[in-house]
């Protein structure tokens, strides 16, 4: 059974800092890995999708890496801003390829 | 282009009642999935539908059911509501059912059961 763990559960940083969010998964047989952002009480916004054959993806100040063999992914946020404050969720496919399995998320707070 | 839309935004029901939630996928997307997100947890998979057929089902009781219409919109039904069904219900769409395709989520329906 695929399980996804995100560390840390919460993180507070001052504006301008670079930071790394971690995601680990137990079954390396994944189709892809997706990082999402969720603002309080809102839906999910897709940030980055890494296919199983890829090692990383970049979008603006965000960079996500994937190491299938070790069951790990990291989301790097450069030059953090208060607007980055949100919960960040990592998700991988289940074995049947029909659903995403989510971690509990990392809640990020960036202070100005 | 409009994203995934869901209705209603908020809903309050009493234990034992039934509820229907609605989702319209992004234009051109044929696959719809439903997730339940309890406060403080990540979303949990309920169903996936593609071309009106169920392609996957999560570990939820038979009180939960869904269907997909010819225009690819979808409804999630929950019968005999329990307090524990209170959650944010999220709908996601993708072009195809396989997870090589990116999932796009709607804003969710907040269900409160009293």
């Amino acid at each position: 059974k695929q399980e996804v763990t995100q560390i840390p559960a919460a993180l507070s940083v001052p504006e301008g800092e670079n930071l790394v969010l971690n995601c680990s998964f137990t079954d390396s047989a994944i189709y892809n890995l997706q990082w999402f952002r969720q603002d309080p009480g809102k839906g999910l916004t897709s940030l980055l999708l890494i296919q199983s054959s890829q090692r990383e993806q970049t979008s603006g100040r965000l960079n996500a890496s994937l190491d299938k063999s070790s069951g790990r992914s990291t989301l790097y946020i450069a030059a953090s801003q208060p607007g980055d404050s949100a919960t960040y969720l990592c998700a991988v496919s289940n074995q049947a390829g029909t659903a995403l399995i989510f971690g509990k998320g990392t809640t990020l707070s960036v202070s100005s | 282009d409009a994203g995934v839309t869901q209705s209603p935004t908020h809903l309050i029901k009493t234990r034992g009642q039934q509820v229907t939630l609605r989702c319209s996928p992004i234009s051109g997307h044929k696959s719809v999935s439903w997730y339940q997100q309890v406060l403080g947890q990540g979303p949990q998979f309920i169903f996936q539908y593609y071309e009106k057929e169920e392609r996957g089902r999560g570990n939820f009781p038979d009180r939960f059911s869904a269907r997909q219409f010819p225009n690819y919109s979808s409804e999630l039904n929950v019968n005999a509501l329990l307090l524990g069904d209170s959650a944010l219900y999220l709908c996601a769409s993708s072009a195809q059912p396989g997870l090589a395709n990116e999932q796009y989520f709607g804003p969710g329906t907040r269900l409160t059961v009293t």
Side-chain angles (χ1 to χ4, degrees):
Chain A
K1 177 186 174 186
Q2 178 75 271
E3 294 183 356
V4 179
T5 302
Q6 291 187 246
I7 295 174
L11 183 62
S12 293
V13 300
E15 183 177 7
E17 270 204 9
N18 302 324
L19 58 100
V20 174
L21 307 182
N22 297 292
C23 171
S24 62
F25 45 95
T26 55
D27 186 346
S28 62
I30 63 171
Y31 288 76
N32 59 33
L33 182 144
Q34 227 173 318
W35 282 94
F36 294 90
R37 168 185 172 139
Q38 186 174 35
D39 292 294
K42 304 296 184 182
L44 277 60
T45 300
S46 178
L47 298 173
L48 291 165
L49 170 70
I50 310 177
Q51 301 288 357
S52 60
S53 59
Q54 297 175 319
R55 298 280 296 182
E56 66 177 326
Q57 281 285 345
T58 298
S59 175
R61 295 182 294 109
L62 305 180
N63 175 276
S65 68
L66 173 63
D67 184 344
K68 279 179 54 179
S69 61
S70 66
R72 294 181 181 179
S73 176
T74 60
L75 178 66
Y76 175 82
I77 302 177
S80 59
Q81 303 171 358
D84 294 331
S85 298
T87 296
Y88 291 81
L89 293 157
C90 165
V92 299
S93 58
N94 65 354
Q95 289 185 348
T98 55
L100 292 175
I101 308 298
F102 285 84
K104 293 183 178 181
T106 294
T107 299
L108 173 64
S109 176
V110 182
S111 56
S112 56
Chain B
D1 282 342
V4 178
T5 59
Q6 293 186 242
S7 64
T9 305
H10 295 90
L11 203 52
I12 299 175
K13 290 286 188 178
T14 304
R15 278 178 297 176
Q17 287 187 318
Q18 175 265 341
V19 67
T20 298
L21 311 180
R22 296 176 176 82
C23 171
S24 292
I26 291 172
S27 177
H29 283 192
K30 299 181 178 180
S31 179
V32 170
S33 298
W34 288 95
Y35 291 81
Q36 180 197 65
Q37 187 178 24
V38 175
L39 195 64
Q41 303 292 317
Q44 281 199 299
F45 172 69
I46 310 175
F47 289 109
Q48 185 190 68
Y49 275 79
Y50 175 70
E51 296 280 11
K52 298 183 291 180
E53 290 190 2
E54 182 182 302
R55 288 297 188 97
R57 172 186 285 256
N59 188 23
F60 280 81
D62 292 342
R63 298 185 296 107
F64 289 77
S65 63
R67 56 179 176 169
Q68 187 176 33
F69 299 98
N71 66 354
Y72 305 113
S73 67
S74 177
E75 287 182 350
L76 175 69
N77 296 284
V78 186
N79 294 321
L81 285 167
L82 303 174
L83 294 180
D85 295 331
S86 295
L88 181 67
Y89 288 84
L90 296 163
C91 173
S93 77
S94 63
Q96 299 290 333
L99 288 180
N101 297 278
E102 191 166 357
Q103 302 278 304
Y104 296 88
F105 282 78
T109 292
R110 171 70 62 185
L111 172 64
T112 301
V113 182
T114 62

